Every structure is written in C-alpha cells, then in structure tokens.
Amino acid sequence: MTSVLYSVRLQLDENLEQMQQGTMMRKVKSKNWKKPRYFMLQDDCMTVWYKSKMSGKAKSAFSVSDVETVREGHQSEVLQSLAEEFPAECCFTVVFHGRRNNLDLIASSAEEAQCWIQGLRRLVEIVTNMDQKEKMDQWICDWFMKADKDKDGRMNFKEVQHLLRMMNVAMNEDHAFRLFQMADKSETGTLEGEEFVLFYKALTQRDEVLELFQEYSEDGKKLTLLEFVDFLQQEQMEGAGIDELAMEMIDRYEPSETAKARHILSIDGFLVYLCSPDGSIFNPEHRTVFQDMSQPLCHYFISSSHNTYLMEDQLRGQSSVEGYIRALKRGCRCLEVDCWDGPNGEPIVYHGHTFTSKIPFREVVTTLDKYAFRASKYPIILSLENHCSIEQQDIMAQQLKGILGEQLLTTTIDGRVPVQLPSPEELKGKIILKGKKIGHLEDYLNGHLDEPPEREEEEEEEEGPEAEEEVLRNEDKKKEKKAKQSLSQELSDCIVYCKSVPFHSFQHSRSHYKSYEMSSFAESKARKLIREAGNDFIRHNAWQLTRIFPSGLRTDSSNYNPQAMWNVGCQLVALNFQTAGTEMDLCDGLFSKNGRCGYVLKPSFMKDPETAFSPENPQSRENGSPLNIAIKIISGQQLPKMPNSKEGSIIDPLVRVEIHGIPADSAKQETKYIDDNGFNPQWNEAFQFQVRVPELALLRFVVEDYDKASRNDFVGQYTLPLTSVKAGYRHIHLLSKDGTGIPPASLFVHIRIRELSTESD
C-alpha cells in the first residue's frame, strides 16, 4: 500500500534515513526519572516507535499527526531543571495536540538532536498541509498497514474481515466477499495497492451523496456549471457572486483536469467539496476576524481561564508554564496567576495552601513574553491573585516591567482619565494587569498619589437607603486603607484599566465606580444575581467588566456552565481550561468565531446601559425575529472506536443535537441508535428547534455509543455559535474530548433556518 508520504520516502534526506535506522535517547519525566529509549521512525514516515533498552520490546508509539510542534533546548520545566547536567543543544520537547503530555527527550549529541528536530518538523509540516483527499488517502493507508499482519503488502480475505472489525463496521460476510472479488482485478486472492483503494471506495460508497448528486445532474454522471450553481443557490443558500463561486469550487475540488477545463463537477469532486471547509457547517467567513474591534472592552465576551497554571486538579495537580502556553494557543485572553512569597526573595505561582507544585513567577512572565500574541494580537488581561509581601510584590512589578517591556500597559493609552474602556484594537499587543490599586487612577494621572485624609469617626447608623450608602462608603474607605498598607506602590502603579473593587450592589457600582474598575464573582454569587436581577446585571456589564470564577469547592477542577453567565453579558467567564467536558466545548464553540482571536462582540441589545433585555424574558429583545431551525441528521462517516474497547466490539452510535442559550431556547433531541456500525451509519432523522435569541445560542452535536446497561460513551462532538451555521447539506467534522480533530470522523446533515414572525412565537 502506498503511503501519502511515499514521495517523502523517495527523497529521504539524511535526517529521515537516520530516524528510520533508530536512535538511543533519554526520555525524561522528572529530575530523577530519565531512562534510555530506542526511538525509530517507521517505514510509513507517519509513526514513531520507542522501545525500552532493557527488554527491547516495543513500549509505545506516537503518530506524526498527533504532533503539534517541536521545541528546541530547555523549553520545559523538566529540561530546565537538568540544564546544568545536559546542554541545551541536546534537548528538545515533542508537543502533542490537546491535553496529551509532552515528550521531553535528550539526545547523545547536538547532531542527533537536530536530526530528530528537523525531521519531525518536516513531517509535521507535510501532514499540516495535506488537503482533504490526501488526509483520507493517508487514513486508508494507515488502516491497510494495521491490517496487513504478515507485512507482505497484500491482504487476503481473512485480513480484510479483521480490518472491517477494526474500522468499526459489521458487514455481511457474503457482501464483503463480493466487494473483495470485485476489487481483486489480478485474481490472486489478495488485494494490493490500487486494488485495496477500489475495495475501500466500494465499501464507502455514499449512496446519500450519490442521490443528492443525481437530483441536480441531468445525466446522473456530472454536474454542469449551471447545475452546480442551482445546487449552491437552492440548497446551500449561497448568495452574491454565485457563478464565480461555483467556478472557484470546481477548480479547487474537481480531481479531473479534463472536467475542470470544461467547468464540470464529477461525483468525486462533489464529495470532496462537501467534505471540505467550504462544505462545512461552520461559516468560513467567521474563520477570520470579521467583527468591529473598535468598541470598548466591556462590549466583548473575552476567552478567560481560571488557575491557568494548573495541568490537573487543584489539590495535588502539577503547576506548569505549559498551562499558560496551551491556554494562549487556544486564543485565551485572560489568564490567572496566583502569586505567593517564595524562597530566595522570588515570588512563586501555585494554588495556595494545597499540594500543587510551584513555579517561579519569573518563568510565567517569561512564557507570557514569548507566547502572548502568537495566536491573537488582541490584548491580554493578567488577573493577579496577589498574596505576596510588599517586598516580593516589588519584585513582581520589576519582573513584569523588565521582561515584558513596552508590552505591559502602565498608563492610559492617551495619558488622560478614561471616560470609557478602550477597544481591543487600541490595545493590540498590550498586556493589562488586573488587581487592587492604591487610590484612584485620576490621582495617579494628575500626580496626586496621596490619599485624601481618612475620617476617623464613624457616622451613626441611620435608617433608609442613604444611611446604607454611607455605611458602604465607609467600608470602601477601610478596605482602601487596608489595601494601601498591604499593597506595593510599584505594583499598584501598573494597574490601569482593570482595578479590582468590591461589589455591593449594581446601584452602588453605577453611583460610585468608574468604567476602568471591575468586580469578580464566584459562580454561586453570579447565579444568585442572575436569578434576582438579570436585567440589572446586563446593564452593569454594558459599561464595566465582570469576571466570574469557579467555586473553591471544585477541587477536581471541574467547570460550571458558562452559558448562564454569557446570557447576562459577563465578559470574563473563567473556566479550568485543563478540564475537558461540555463546559469547555461551549467555550471553544463560542470563541471559534471571529478568527479565534479570543474576543467575540456581544449582541447590540447587551451593549446599552439602559437595555430592557432579560434572559428570562425573550420578548424584551428589541428587533429581530425568532428562528426556526430544521436539522436532519443524515449519516455518519468513520466514527472512531472507544479507547480500551473490547477486541472486535463495534459501536452503536446515536446523535444528540443540543441548543445552549437563554433558558427558553435551551433544548436537546436525539436520534435512535444504529446497531454495530460506526463506519457509515444512516439515521435520516429530522428535528425542529425554535430559537428566540439566536445571537446568544450555541449549537452542539454529540455522538455517543449507546449502552443499555450503563452510561453511554462519548465518541465525538462539535459546537459552534448558531450565527456561524451555514445552511444546506453540510459535514460536521467531529472533535475529541480534548477538542482536537479526529479525521475523518464526520456527520452529514441538512440544515434550514428561517425567521418566524413574533406573533406565531
């Protein structure tokens, strides 16, 4: 079977040849755990095996497609701890997609290290640049190699039967044998090379796609340009410039040069189009920054993480700068740093009063300097949980300014007192500190750093709201005085647009606070405020930032449902990024739009401080009609088997469609399950949803393996904003629990969206 990377093997450079011969390197897990392993690139140029020196048995393997990047030198905590023992030029780190642990390696020489660094980078680049057809070809090749037990480059029928079980399909033996004989053109009783491709194509024939193709094709064999235009217009709801779009699609996806020249789309080209990003459910225009980025910060939902330094739970988990790197790569724009006094006069970061490991504050800032603006150029808010002495706070301020330089915002962008928060566009490339501040920004800008004199005597309590306000004012003064005694002036001076202030009430905030001051709420407090004063919360968030964080009782680093917080316009809804699950799927889904830049513009009815909107009352949304969403789940393709599933077992898949939004819109419906077929299950089930506030709704597709005796197993999911959904016949490319792709697993669906008149709602 020919691999997609066969062309690479034909031109094997010295690096790949040496990698295939194998290299002994040290695999490192800690300062005391560093063991020799024999690493070898397999003939497919896609898999790396490594073996124990002791037993010589194959211990583990990883696929090149699982590798995100390769970092040179001491770029992990473990390798940094061994810096004196092993030179940087011999060390490198293999970084994997998702939450899989990195692989730290030490080669015997700089030359051997470079061989693997350059070789892996070349292979990763090839895999990254594969188009849809190449990815599918590679996937077929991988399965062939797994099933070819005797490694003779051929497959007999027994091996084919085994392959079908591996590929998650139960098939009638007679039917499978007929397909096998049809593909065996050489009549040798085995399949090789192109014969296996023929067999695979017969196996994966998409009848539902063929029917759709023939519905628009006059002769059933091709789509003319006009026929394809009809399909794009009537089914895919494509608008302006449709003729040019159709020509472009044919040129991009039709494999036959002859057909291309005649502006014709074959069934193969049609299928490639449907499986491509242009045939995806996600609007390709939303893959780039398309929203207005010149509005105040408080008008955006901002991707935010909690306990960013943690890799696991918050009692005994590992703290690592890798947590910051991963969050930043996912477009996160608000990071949390818990700072405590450390040894040698240097502050450290960890989850206080727990057994989590500790990292130097300096390393966090250095990591921020390196990775802050790789995934997004828009501003980062660094939420400081400051538990340090004044002396170590001074060190924090010095390290922040010394390492980040001009990236750190230390004064307003125009030197004036702000009347509203600046925009993401104005703050591009800037890191903003969130924390307590001595005095007011006005005093700092005007050069008056001394506090106004405190009134020592306390007012007598009086009845009524005015007396309550006076008590609150006195409380604020006391807290301000206490803060001055415990805060470093140098660190305080670095707080500009995100001064932390205590929350008393929405009325108190509006009367006493400025736009650059903000409050934080635990999830339970936020939920209480949503229940009691949802509209007030939305109005508050129209002019001031709000941060929500998980309950301290979540020792397993689980997450709360962020949707309720977004429904009232909370911008900084902080989640534990290290914990996979529905909550992080929703977060990834919301921030998948606007180029994954970490900022999503709130709907217009959430940006007015006098808005009447409340999530409990959909009719309060001015302008805009409810939507009817009709979704047909047609089929699934190459759904993955469950890890640790029994030998020969095959999944029984079902699909659940979920709407997450305001309470009245939240709904879910699911298909029946299909017995023993994860390969090409057919559902053909239709659902209807009414969505009253589509601007806040997320659409989530979940595939599960049905189990009548216990809880269903998760197979894959895909979540996106309803406003990013493309109508028509669409493929949904499923994601794993970690939010990474699992090609070529997909769902094929049909979607129709139409407005409903409010009277009929």
Side-chain angles (χ1 to χ4, degrees), residues 47 75 119 210 359 376 385 465 538 614 654 684 712 750:
T47 315
Q75 289 206 50
L210 187 58
I359 44 176
S376 169
E385 295 298 319
I538 291 170
S614 166
L654 62 83
N684 290 309
N712 294 348
H750 182 261

Side-chain angles (χ1 to χ4, degrees), residues 14 82 91 152 317 322 410 435 447 459 568 585 589 647 682 706:
E14 285 183 26
L82 296 167
C91 302
D152 62 353
E322 196 63 40
T410 54
E459 299 281 345
V568 291
D585 293 344
E647 178 72 28
Q682 304 267 332
Y706 174 76

Side-chain angles (χ1 to χ4, degrees), residues 68-69 71 75-77 93 95-96 98 100-102 104 308-311 318-329 359 367 371:
E68 184 181 300
T69 190
R71 299 185 198 140
Q75 289 206 50
S76 71
E77 283 107 337
T93 302
V95 180
F96 297 101
R100 180 173 172 178
N101 289 337
N102 296 344
D104 287 317
T308 316
Y309 48 88
L310 286 180
M311 304 293 286
Q318 179 196 0
S319 302
S320 170
V321 295
E322 196 63 40
Y324 290 95
I325 296 170
R326 290 183 182 185
L328 287 166
K329 283 196 293 197
I359 44 176
T367 301
Y371 291 94

